[in-house]
Amino acid sequence: VAGTNATNSNPTDLKPGPDAGKIAFVTGYMLEKLEYMQHPFDANISTRLFDAYLSSLDPQHLHFLQSDLTEFAGYRTNLNRFTMRKTGVADTRPAYEIFYRYIDRLRQHVEYVDELLKTEKFEFTTDERATLNRHDWPYPNNLDDAKNIWRQRWRDDELTENISREMEKTNSVAATNASVNT
């Protein structure tokens, strides 16, 4: 990928290299012709690849919003048309557009948690719950829903960290008492 080096830490600076389209085309061709089932690169395969790509970026359905999925819906069944072009050069734009949106959502997540760190003091006296495995749950409807999920997960992380610190203190005291008594 062009635009990457040790000093470049901004993922949105990633751009397709000069051979990216050719590489994507050859990869699609190989999957279609050389893969053991030799299934044509059709809308079904396109859907599977699209869903796998989303899942690889956001397996817990924390970052992409329903509006993002709606915006990218045209790619779901058409990646074959972007990849298997008569020119022998694929259009890699869908992968980059989706990736850039993921990075934008990830930045929003980090900014929101940074704000929570400055302002939020959790009280663990309520019966609040967080869904930790969201793989089978829908993506958040909007940014407010996403922030609610991010807050719940951060709250759970804080509780887990507090419990861990208390366990370390308890174990340290128990170890000190045991060494004094021996």
Side-chain angles (χ1 to χ4, degrees):
V1 175
T4 59
N5 60 44
T7 60
N8 182 0
S9 62
N10 186 356
T12 56
D13 287 343
L14 293 175
K15 304 283 186 251
D19 295 326
K22 292 176 189 172
I23 292 168
F25 175 83
V26 170
T27 302
Y29 179 83
M30 290 174 62
L31 286 172
E32 186 175 76
K33 304 296 184 198
L34 303 176
E35 193 258 343
Y36 75 97
M37 290 181 62
Q38 294 187 354
H39 189 282
F41 193 159
D42 59 8
N44 182 39
I45 297 298
S46 178
T47 298
R48 289 174 50 200
L49 289 172
F50 179 86
D51 292 342
Y53 185 53
L54 288 180
S55 185
S56 71
L57 293 173
D58 190 7
Q60 291 296 318
H61 298 189
L62 295 171
H63 299 100
F64 287 120
L65 306 178
Q66 288 295 333
S67 59
D68 299 328
L69 300 182
T70 300
E71 182 180 338
F72 299 137
Y75 297 145
R76 173 172 260 111
T77 58
N78 292 303
L79 290 178
N80 54 324
R81 293 185 184 139
F82 284 92
T83 306
M84 303 306 294
R85 296 170 56 178
K86 291 182 189 330
T87 62
V89 178
D91 181 352
T92 59
R93 189 181 33 176
Y96 284 87
E97 286 179 17
I98 293 168
F99 179 73
Y100 296 152
R101 180 63 50 83
Y102 170 72
I103 294 300
D104 288 343
R105 297 295 182 215
L106 195 58
R107 283 185 179 136
Q108 289 172 327
H109 185 163
V110 169
E111 288 169 6
Y112 181 68
V113 171
D114 281 348
E115 188 60 34
L116 285 177
L117 284 168
K118 295 174 189 170
T119 62
E120 189 82 20
K121 300 294 181 228
F122 286 120
E123 296 290 326
F124 297 105
T125 57
T126 62
D127 188 18
E128 245 182 283
R129 297 179 189 269
T131 302
L132 299 181
N133 183 355
R134 291 190 40 81
H135 179 69
D136 295 325
W137 285 68
Y139 288 91
N141 286 323
N142 53 45
L143 192 55
D144 288 337
D145 286 350
K147 286 181 177 181
N148 186 42
I149 293 165
W150 301 339
R151 184 187 173 283
Q152 288 172 354
R153 290 181 70 95
W154 184 65
R155 185 178 190 280
D156 180 73
D157 289 345
E158 283 292 306
L159 179 60
T160 301
E161 183 65 29
N162 287 345
I163 290 170
S164 179
R165 278 194 295 267
E166 288 301 317
M167 293 293 289
E168 285 178 15
K169 286 180 191 175
T170 301
N171 290 340
S172 177
V173 169
T176 302
N177 288 342
S179 67
V180 168
N181 290 333
T182 54

